[in-house]
């Protein structure tokens, strides 16, 4: 189709789009204006006669209709448009001609020209176009806003219809996006049972909230004056008003909950969230959403009551699991008592508690004091017994539980008098406010070893479920106490063994100063596999050894003793370090388990010259601290642990005047958070930071190294440090 699809205007003889001369007549001006509109206007324009034939149409309309190359002149819509589009055209034309009225902004969806549809074009989903009924803009289509205007001539039927069409596809898409967002917002509010209100930037009322008033019963005037705050519960209102003022002042989100008086006079629970609406840097209003959560609150309260009633057994099971976990870490009897009394009190709400153990003669019960200092002030300490203790034959709660090996229950004072014949005396005479009692035997292998006692300051009925729990708790307590007693016996043995194995003091030498420090992994286990030894050889040289036997307790201490004694015997026969370690290898292979892991660092030093020889069986390298050069660890090959096939090597070394050699165990440089390599680097750095007065004093140096290296870390292994310092020559 050519760009000119128009037919001659009845009053115009010029060509559309031709420039107008200054001398043109009014008809020429009309002609030029008409030509400009038809030829250059982006909107589609057309004129139809009463027979629905297109008399004039500009190129823009043909392009918008998606039928380029078509000449619509003297043709009805059905002759140049698709059937559905032609039907819409003819319906609109007949309506205008028959009724003589204009049809404005009527949307039509038309296909785009085929040349605009590229194979690689992104096809967008259809977008509904506003209007009843709503339509969507399909992919590859465009929306035209059409106006059908009757041509006003003489009386009667209009002689024709003028069509104007403007593409509004993008506008309709944008409108649809907004409409969908509004629909989503309304749907979300309706689905969540939220009631929305709007407030001014300073928090005042600016819009009515009919939905809110339908809940509260406020009139429009009431709401205009007091807003939503007016119906907040009096107990909640001061808090809410203060929080609301703070949020408005700071322009931050207001989020809280309160009770609202409804129109029936009752109160319902609401959650509220209000946010400031910004325009640039200015808050223009607040929008709040209230959600009725009364049902949720009531359900939560009911669920809480049911949980409290139905989960008692589960709670007690959790308490037992808690007790088991805590008892696994309790090493002493006092610690066991502390755990049991705390768990028992919290589980059944007892006011007082005590644990008593049978003496060796099985005739008396002695109260065990929990390990926490100051617990008596906090109400968690067992009460001190009388000096004589409690006789098993006395009429007391714990005595009866031990004698009869069964729980003793007294729910009120009358029950206690009925069962014991009189009030309990002795240990708990001072607790006149007690009104209910529970006594439980502690049984090990079926025989009593002590008793648990709980008491209450009010009458208290112990249910069957609670009784089962308390018996299980007493069983846990008995096992833990028995284990703790065994531990304490081993602990005592280990302490005695330690005193016999570690040197009580170090040799005093005129030309060399020695200092050592031993830190066990916990305050309860005073001995492990770490050890050190310093002794004189027959030729007055000094033998120095530091070792580590895997494990802790009596077995580790015994292994340590065997290695230490064997090393002394071998050194007295042939003190050369390589020979001593080779002899230990043979002894170790013959007497120790294959799984046993033991390391030793051994040196022989002439205290007068500082010269000596050194050999290492898998132990961490010595630390060398010099006054003239940076601290460093020895770069010598550490060798293999004892018992592993190896050709033992020894090297010469010396401790110059003013220098220090530090031997240590791996507990100083290795833990759960720090590997050996990082620990060695840190040790060198710490030694480099030691002040000169610390380096020159071995006692201060070993404390300095241990304190700095363990700071911030959990000590999981024993730590042994031995320092040898050659002071500068006097004068």
């Amino acid at each position: 189709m050519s760009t000119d699809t128009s037919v001659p205007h009845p009053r115009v003889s010029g060509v559309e789009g031709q420039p107008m001369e200054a001398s043109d007549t009014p008809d020429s001006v009309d002609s030029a204006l008409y030509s400009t509109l038809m030829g250059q206007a982006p909107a589609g324009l057309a004129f139809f006669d009463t027979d629905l034939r297109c008399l004039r149409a500009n190129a823009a309309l043909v392009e918008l209709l998606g039928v380029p190359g078509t000449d619509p002149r003297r043709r009805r819509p059905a002759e140049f448009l698709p059937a559905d589009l032609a039907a819409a055209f003819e319906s609109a034309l007949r309506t205008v001609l028959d009724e003589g009225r204009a049809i404005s902004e009527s949307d039509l969806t038309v296909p785009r020209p085929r040349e605009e549809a590229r194979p690689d074009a992104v096809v967008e989903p259809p977008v509904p176009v506003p209007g009843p009924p709503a339509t969507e803009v399909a992919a590859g289509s465009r929306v035209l806003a059409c106006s059908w205007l009757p041509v006003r001539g003489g009386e009667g039927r209009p002689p024709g219809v003028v069509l104007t069409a403007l593409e509004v596809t993008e506008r309709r898409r944008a409108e649809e996006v907004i409409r969908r967002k509004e629909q989503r917002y309304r749907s979300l509010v309706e689905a969540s049972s939220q009631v929305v209100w709007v407030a001014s930037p300073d928090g005042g009322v600016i819009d009515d909230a009919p939905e809110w008033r339908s809940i509260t019963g406020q009139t429009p005037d009431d709401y205009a004056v007091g807003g939503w705050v007016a119906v907040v519960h009096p107990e909640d209102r001061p808090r809410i008003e203060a929080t609301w003022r703070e949020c408005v002042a700071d322009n931050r989100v207001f989020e809280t909950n309160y009770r609202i008086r409804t129109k029936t006079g009752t109160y319902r629970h609401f959650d509220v969230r209000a946010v400031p609406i910004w325009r640039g840097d200015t808050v223009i209003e607040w929008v709040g959403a209230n959600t009725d959560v009364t049902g949720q609150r009531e359900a939560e309260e009911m669920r809480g009551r049911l949980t409290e009633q139905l989960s008692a057994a589960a709670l007690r099971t959790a308490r037992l699991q808690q007790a088991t976990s805590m008892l696994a870490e309790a090493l002493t009897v006092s610690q066991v008592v502390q755990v049991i009394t705390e768990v028992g009190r919290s589980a059944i709400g007892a006011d007082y508690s005590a644990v008593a153990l049978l003496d060796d003669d099985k005739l008396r019960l002695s109260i065990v004091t929990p390990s926490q200092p100051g617990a008596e002030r906090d109400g968690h300490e067992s009460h001190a017994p009388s000096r004589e203790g409690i006789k098993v034959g006395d009429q007391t709660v714990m005595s009866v539980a031990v004698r009869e090996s069964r729980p003793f229950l007294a729910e009120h004072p009358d029950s206690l008098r009925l069962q014991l014949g009189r009030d309990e005396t002795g240990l708990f005479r001072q607790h006149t406010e007690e009104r209910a009692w529970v006594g439980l035997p502690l049984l090990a292998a079926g025989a009593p070893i002590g008793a648990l006692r709980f008491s209450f300051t009010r009458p208290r009925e112990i249910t069957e479920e609670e009784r089962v729990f308390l018996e299980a708790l007493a069983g846990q307590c008995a096992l833990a106490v028995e284990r703790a007693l065994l531990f304490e016996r081993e602990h005592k043995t280990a302490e005695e063994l330690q005193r016999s194995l570690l040197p009580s003091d170090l040799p005093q030498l005129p030309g060399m100063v020695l200092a050592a420090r031993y830190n066990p992994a916990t305050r309860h286990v005073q001995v492990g596999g770490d050890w050190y030894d310093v002794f004189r050889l027959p030729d007055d040289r000094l033998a120095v050894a530091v070792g580590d036997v895997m494990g802790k307790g009596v077995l580790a201490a015994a292994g340590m003793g065997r290695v230490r004694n064997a090393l002394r015997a071998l050194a007295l026969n042939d003190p050369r370090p390589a020979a001593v370690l080779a002899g230990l290898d043979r002894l170790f292979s013959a007497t120790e388990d294959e799984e046993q892991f033991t390391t030793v660092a051994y040196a022989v030093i002439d205290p007068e010259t500082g010269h000596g020889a050194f050999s290492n069986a898998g132990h961490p390298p010595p630390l060398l601290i010099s006054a003239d050069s940076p601290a460093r660890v020895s770069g010598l090959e550490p060798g293999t642990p004892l018992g592993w096939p190896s050709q033992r090597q020894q090297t010469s070394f010396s401790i110059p005047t003013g220098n220090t050699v530090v031997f240590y165990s791996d507990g100083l440089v290795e833990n759960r958070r720090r590997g050996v390599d990082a620990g060695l680097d840190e040790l060198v750095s710490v030694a480099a930071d030691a002040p000169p007065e610390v380096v020159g004093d071995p006692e201060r140096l070993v404390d300095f190294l241990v304190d700095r290296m363990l700071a911030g870390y959990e000590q999981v292994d024993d730590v042994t440090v031995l320092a040898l310092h050659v002071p500068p020559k006097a004068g």
Side-chain angles (χ1 to χ4, degrees):
M1 186 182 92
S2 65
T3 58
D4 181 6
T5 60
S6 61
V7 297
H9 189 279
R11 299 176 57 192
V12 178
S13 58
V15 180
E16 293 176 9
Q18 179 176 329
M20 181 181 68
E21 298 295 336
S23 60
D24 286 348
T25 64
D27 285 347
S28 299
V29 173
D30 290 345
S31 176
L33 177 61
Y34 174 79
S35 297
T36 301
L37 290 174
M38 295 296 288
Q40 300 181 30
L45 300 172
F47 177 79
F48 292 86
D49 63 13
T50 55
D51 291 332
L52 309 186
R53 297 183 182 278
C54 178
L55 302 182
R56 300 283 287 176
N58 66 352
L61 178 64
V62 175
E63 182 68 22
L64 291 174
L65 293 176
V67 288
T70 302
D71 186 354
R73 288 179 297 181
R74 300 295 179 182
R75 300 168 68 182
R76 289 189 174 89
E79 297 175 13
F80 65 89
L81 293 175
D84 53 348
L85 188 58
F89 264 59
E90 293 180 0
S91 175
L93 290 170
R94 288 194 178 94
T95 299
V96 174
L97 291 171
D98 293 343
E99 300 179 6
R101 63 178 180 84
I103 300 177
S104 301
E105 292 289 326
S106 175
D107 286 358
L108 286 178
T109 302
V110 301
R112 293 184 182 273
R114 291 184 178 179
E115 57 269 20
E116 295 185 18
R118 304 189 312 274
D120 60 344
V122 177
V123 179
E124 298 181 355
V127 179
V129 178
T135 59
E136 292 185 348
V137 182
S141 299
R142 57 166 57 128
V143 180
L144 306 181
C146 299
S147 293
W148 310 83
L149 308 174
V151 176
R152 300 300 179 185
E155 297 181 357
R157 191 180 186 195
V161 179
V162 173
L163 165 65
T164 64
L166 184 67
E167 183 174 0
V168 292
T169 305
E170 296 306 319
R171 184 195 308 170
R172 294 295 184 256
R173 290 182 187 273
E175 291 172 351
E176 174 60 18
V177 170
I178 295 174
R179 186 182 68 83
R180 284 187 171 181
K181 289 182 178 179
E182 292 176 347
Q183 287 179 340
R184 293 190 190 106
Y185 173 75
R186 287 195 298 271
S187 299
L188 180 61
V189 170
E190 292 173 0
S192 60
S193 302
Q194 290 184 324
V195 181
V196 178
W197 49 265
V198 181
S200 63
D202 61 359
V205 177
I206 56 175
D207 286 339
D208 189 19
E211 293 181 353
W212 176 257
R213 291 191 295 99
S214 67
I215 296 173
T216 64
Q218 293 171 283
T219 65
D221 292 340
D222 292 337
Y223 186 80
V225 174
W228 57 271
V229 181
V231 290
V232 175
H233 194 288
E235 295 178 0
D236 299 340
R237 187 165 178 174
R239 169 180 61 88
I240 296 303
E241 287 181 332
T243 305
W244 174 236
R245 285 194 301 269
E246 293 173 0
C247 291
V248 169
D250 299 338
N251 291 329
R252 56 184 173 85
V253 174
F254 172 67
E255 190 168 13
T256 185
N257 55 78
Y258 44 58
R259 291 167 289 177
I260 293 297
R261 187 186 66 246
T262 66
K263 58 186 176 183
T264 63
T266 60
Y267 284 91
R268 298 186 69 81
H269 294 271
F270 278 81
D271 285 346
V272 62
R273 178 180 173 85
V275 296
I277 305 301
W278 296 84
R279 179 177 294 164
D281 296 331
T282 305
V283 174
I284 60 173
E285 65 181 9
W286 288 76
V287 176
N290 285 40
T291 305
D292 189 338
V293 294
T294 305
Q296 177 183 340
R297 292 292 178 85
E298 292 175 348
E300 289 174 354
E301 292 175 0
M302 180 175 293
R303 185 164 56 248
R305 290 192 295 269
L306 291 175
T307 300
E308 184 178 354
Q309 296 172 4
L310 300 178
S311 66
L315 179 60
R316 286 188 288 271
T317 300
R319 294 290 189 186
L320 283 176
Q321 292 174 342
Q322 177 190 15
T324 301
S325 176
M326 295 172 68
L327 288 172
E329 300 179 2
L331 298 177
T332 66
V333 175
S334 294
Q335 290 178 326
V336 171
V337 172
Q338 183 66 34
V339 171
I340 290 297
T341 54
E342 287 185 355
V343 172
R345 286 190 196 182
S346 61
I348 63 173
D351 298 295
Y352 300 105
S353 62
V355 176
L357 298 181
L358 279 171
D359 292 343
D360 293 339
D361 57 10
K362 307 298 182 183
L363 299 177
R364 291 181 179 276
L365 288 165
S366 298
I367 301 299
V368 180
T369 303
S371 61
Q372 281 191 348
E376 185 173 3
R377 295 190 299 271
D378 300 330
H380 293 291
E381 180 69 272
S382 297
H383 303 282
S386 61
R387 181 170 299 178
E388 296 80 12
I390 306 171
K391 295 180 180 179
V392 174
D394 288 344
Q395 286 296 93
T396 68
V397 170
M398 288 197 287
S399 298
V400 172
V402 169
R403 285 201 310 269
E404 301 182 9
S405 295
R406 65 171 179 82
F408 176 93
L409 305 177
E411 300 171 355
H412 46 76
D414 290 341
S415 175
L416 183 70
R417 283 190 290 269
L418 181 64
Q419 296 185 70
L420 299 183
R422 57 186 176 86
D423 288 339
E424 191 175 25
T425 59
L427 174 63
F428 302 101
R429 180 183 299 163
Q430 67 271 37
H431 305 310
T432 57
E433 71 275 21
E434 292 181 352
R435 293 294 180 270
W437 300 263
V438 177
L440 299 147
L442 301 179
L443 304 175
I449 61 172
L452 263 173
R453 182 186 192 278
F454 296 104
S455 59
F456 308 83
T457 56
R458 64 196 183 285
R460 175 72 152 80
E461 179 182 358
I462 301 298
T463 65
E464 182 62 27
E465 292 80 5
E466 289 175 329
R467 175 172 174 161
V468 171
F469 164 74
L470 289 172
E471 290 182 3
L473 181 65
Q476 293 274 22
C477 180
L479 291 174
V481 166
E482 190 174 32
R483 184 179 65 248
L485 291 172
L486 289 173
F487 168 81
E488 289 181 350
R489 284 195 289 269
E490 180 178 340
H491 166 70
K492 183 178 179 181
T493 302
E495 282 186 323
E496 294 174 352
L497 185 57
Q498 178 196 23
R499 284 193 294 270
S500 67
L501 294 178
L502 293 179
S504 57
D505 51 31
L506 297 174
Q508 300 298 318
L509 304 172
M512 183 175 293
V513 183
L514 292 83
R517 180 166 171 180
Y518 175 76
N519 268 23
T522 73
R523 66 178 184 274
H524 302 296
V525 181
Q526 298 298 325
V527 65
D530 286 16
W531 60 280
Y532 65 91
D533 198 6
V534 182
F535 56 93
R536 288 268 198 172
L537 294 171
D539 58 3
D540 289 335
R541 287 186 297 170
L542 197 66
V544 178
V546 177
D548 187 359
V549 178
M550 181 181 64
K552 294 187 181 301
V554 174
L555 291 179
M560 173 181 69
R562 289 193 296 272
V563 174
R564 174 179 177 270
N565 293 335
L567 184 143
R568 282 201 171 205
L570 291 168
L572 293 175
N573 180 54
D574 183 353
R576 292 176 303 156
V580 170
L581 293 189
L584 287 176
D585 281 333
R586 294 190 296 273
L587 177 66
F588 204 88
S589 299
T591 61
E592 303 297 328
D593 295 334
E594 293 182 359
E595 295 80 8
Q596 185 63 49
F597 188 91
T598 298
T599 63
V600 175
Y602 173 64
V604 176
I605 305 170
D606 185 343
E608 294 184 0
T609 64
H611 297 298
F614 172 75
S615 187
N616 192 351
H619 206 71
L623 173 68
L624 310 175
I625 303 176
S626 173
D628 303 326
S629 60
R632 60 186 177 86
V633 293
S634 172
L636 298 175
E637 181 65 33
T640 59
L642 293 182
W644 294 25
S646 174
Q647 182 67 37
R648 296 301 175 186
Q649 303 292 329
Q650 74 179 37
T651 58
S652 299
F653 80 100
S654 65
I655 310 176
T657 300
N659 289 8
T660 304
V661 174
V662 180
F663 298 93
Y664 53 91
S665 62
D666 58 358
L668 183 69
V669 295
E670 184 181 20
N671 53 49
R672 294 190 179 98
R673 294 167 44 203
R674 180 175 63 194
V676 175
D677 291 340
L680 292 175
D681 292 340
E682 188 170 344
L683 178 62
V684 170
S685 177
V686 168
D689 291 339
E693 63 272 17
V694 171
V695 174
D697 185 348
E699 290 288 348
R700 296 176 62 184
L701 178 63
V702 293
D703 289 340
F704 180 86
L705 294 176
V706 172
D707 294 343
R708 290 291 186 90
M709 291 298 294
L710 298 185
Y713 296 103
E714 177 189 4
Q715 185 182 346
V716 296
D717 197 2
D718 297 342
V719 173
T720 300
V721 180
L722 175 64
L724 287 73
H725 174 69
V726 177
K729 300 296 183 180

